[in-house]
Amino acid sequence: MRARAGWVALSTAALLGTLVAGCAHHDGAAPKAPPSSAPSASTSSSGAPEGYAEIRKKVDAAESAAAAADRDAADDANGGAAGAAAGGTDR
């Protein structure tokens, strides 16, 4: 049991040493912003990035499909009782 505790302490010390060495050069300040001449992402008149509306539609469709799959799984888990009670047929 002592050997195991020793390995845990050793691995913890090694991890801590690695983190300290990796972060030692960082002074904690945020990186500087790029100069204003740097190209930026184009935005629409609403201020949203270009293509945002299309991506939002895709996300909404995926969420809707996931909700439908959850309902189907719940119906299957309940033996299709919810679908049959609503006038549907059991698969």
Side-chain angles (χ1 to χ4, degrees):
M1 193 62 147
R2 286 184 181 175
R4 186 176 207 175
W7 281 109
V8 170
L10 181 63
S11 60
T12 302
L15 177 62
L16 181 59
T18 303
L19 288 173
V20 169
C23 298
H25 71 279
H26 192 277
D27 62 0
K32 293 183 179 180
S36 60
S37 64
S40 61
S42 59
T43 58
S44 67
S45 60
S46 66
E50 190 175 314
Y52 179 80
E54 182 180 341
I55 293 171
R56 185 72 234 168
K57 287 179 189 176
K58 290 180 180 181
V59 169
D60 289 342
E63 288 173 346
S64 178
D70 286 344
R71 285 190 302 271
D72 287 346
D75 285 349
D76 289 345
N78 294 331
T89 58
D90 197 4
R91 292 180 216 137

